[in-house]
Structures are given as structure tokens and as C-alpha cells.
Amino acid sequence: MKITVSTHKLPGYGPTLRTTKRMTEQAVRIVNRAVPGSMPDVEVILTNERGMAELGAAAYTELAGVLDKRTRARAERECLRRARDVSGRAIPRADGSALVLLNVDQHPGEAEMAVTLVHELVHCMQFSRKDVVESIVRDARDSFGVERQSRRQAREHERAVEQDEREAYGKEHLANQLVPGAAA
């Protein structure tokens, strides 16, 4: 498993980058032991709201196989609307790796960053489970209008997302091992 941490359009965030690299290496080990599944190669990118929208839209359109410029622009607008409220996102990639986007503007300290990092790494572990990535791809293709999914498949996907979110929130206490008092 390969772990990379970088920034996107964030000049002057060297100390935050170094801290996040250290925390990511520790968090991967902790989450790998505590959550069933296998950790894929992970790329963590620290960015701002606009960067989250740009990179998130690019990753989802690539996952869905969309090449149309108009569809990409629509996806970026939708991701920008969501990015205002989101502090992090985990997105599977077609090559089996995972992309984790962290909004540094919503993390005033190490404790908040640790909680979000653990939460998103739990999602990365979930990507290795049976039919999870296929369901995400099918939902993305449906949202971009490439290929329709049935109502039953959409309901199953929504239930799976809710279950995965409950599991990720339930594992946020592991952030205490990174930064004491983080998940308090």
C-alpha cells in the first residue's frame, strides 16, 4: 500500500502538510487494524473549497467514464455546492486506489484533522469490500445520465451509504490515538 500526501493550490501550508503526512501514516496503520477490509493505495490531498470541487468532480467523472465537457462542468458545479459543507471526501479510483480530499479551511487544528482523516480512511477500507465500488460507479453513471440504475439499486445504494457512514462515524474515536482528546 502506497500513501502520498500533497497539497492542491495551497501555497504556504508546509507545516500543515508535514503534520498531515505524519498523521496519515499513523492513521492508516490504526484504521487498517480496526476496520475489516484491505487498505488500497491512498492519495491524500489538502485543498480548499474550490479545489475540493475541482478534484472531486474530476475523480467522479473519471470513475463514471464521462468525457463530455458540459457534463464535467455540471459535475464541478454540483461538487462546489457540496464542498461548502464537507470537510473531507473519499473517492475510489478506477485503478483500485483511493483519493482523499481534505478541506483545510474547515480544520482549525490537528484534532479536527485527525477525526476527518480517520473517517475518510474508514471509507477507503470500505472500498475493498464486495460490490461497494461497483455500486458507487453505477450511482455516478446514473447521476451523470450515462446509464440508468433501477429504483431498487438506488435504494440499495442509499442504504449502503448510510450504513457506511454510521460505521465511519463509529470509528472516529480512533483519532484519539493520533491526537489525544481528538474525538471527545
Side-chain angles (χ1 to χ4, degrees), residues 144-161:
F144 291 131
V146 175
E147 183 179 328
R148 301 276 310 164
Q149 67 178 338
S150 68
R151 281 189 234 137
R152 178 179 172 216
Q153 289 170 329
R155 283 192 309 269
E156 286 175 358
H157 176 73
E158 286 300 318
R159 266 195 304 272
V161 167

Side-chain angles (χ1 to χ4, degrees), residues 22-42:
R22 179 186 49 78
M23 277 197 309
T24 302
E25 291 170 3
Q26 294 171 352
V28 165
R29 283 194 299 273
I30 292 167
V31 170
N32 210 2
R33 284 193 306 258
V35 179
S38 62
M39 184 66 74
D41 292 343
V42 178

Side-chain angles (χ1 to χ4, degrees), residues 5-7 13-22 24 44 46:
V5 181
S6 61
T7 60
Y13 275 83
T16 305
L17 178 63
R18 286 188 292 278
T19 302
T20 306
K21 280 183 183 181
R22 179 186 49 78
T24 302
V44 177
L46 302 173

Side-chain angles (χ1 to χ4, degrees), residues 20-167:
T20 306
K21 280 183 183 181
R22 179 186 49 78
M23 277 197 309
T24 302
E25 291 170 3
Q26 294 171 352
V28 165
R29 283 194 299 273
I30 292 167
V31 170
N32 210 2
R33 284 193 306 258
V35 179
S38 62
M39 184 66 74
D41 292 343
V42 178
E43 181 181 5
V44 177
I45 299 178
L46 302 173
T47 188
N48 54 18
E49 183 180 304
R50 184 73 192 158
M52 284 196 61
E54 181 183 319
L55 295 172
Y60 268 115
T61 54
E62 178 185 333
L63 188 65
V66 177
L67 299 174
D68 182 22
K69 280 186 177 184
R70 191 171 359 154
T71 306
R72 281 183 180 264
R74 189 179 74 214
E76 191 168 331
R77 285 191 304 275
E78 179 63 31
C79 285
L80 184 59
R81 271 194 294 276
R82 289 184 188 169
R84 292 183 182 117
D85 303 325
V86 178
S87 56
R89 278 180 90 176
I91 303 168
R93 287 187 164 158
D95 64 358
S97 65
L99 173 66
V100 175
L101 302 173
L102 298 175
N103 187 346
V104 294
D105 296 335
Q106 295 198 5
H107 297 99
E110 282 186 28
E112 293 85 0
M113 183 71 79
V115 170
T116 302
L117 190 58
V118 166
H119 182 98
E120 299 307 330
L121 288 173
V122 169
H123 287 312
C124 292
M125 291 291 283
Q126 293 165 347
F127 296 155
S128 69
R129 297 179 187 163
K130 184 179 179 191
D131 297 331
V132 172
V133 174
E134 290 80 9
S135 175
I136 293 170
V137 169
R138 186 175 50 241
D139 187 64
R141 290 178 68 78
D142 181 56
S143 67
F144 291 131
V146 175
E147 183 179 328
R148 301 276 310 164
Q149 67 178 338
S150 68
R151 281 189 234 137
R152 178 179 172 216
Q153 289 170 329
R155 283 192 309 269
E156 286 175 358
H157 176 73
E158 286 300 318
R159 266 195 304 272
V161 167
E162 288 174 17
Q163 181 180 357
D164 289 347
E165 282 297 326
R166 279 194 303 275
E167 180 185 11

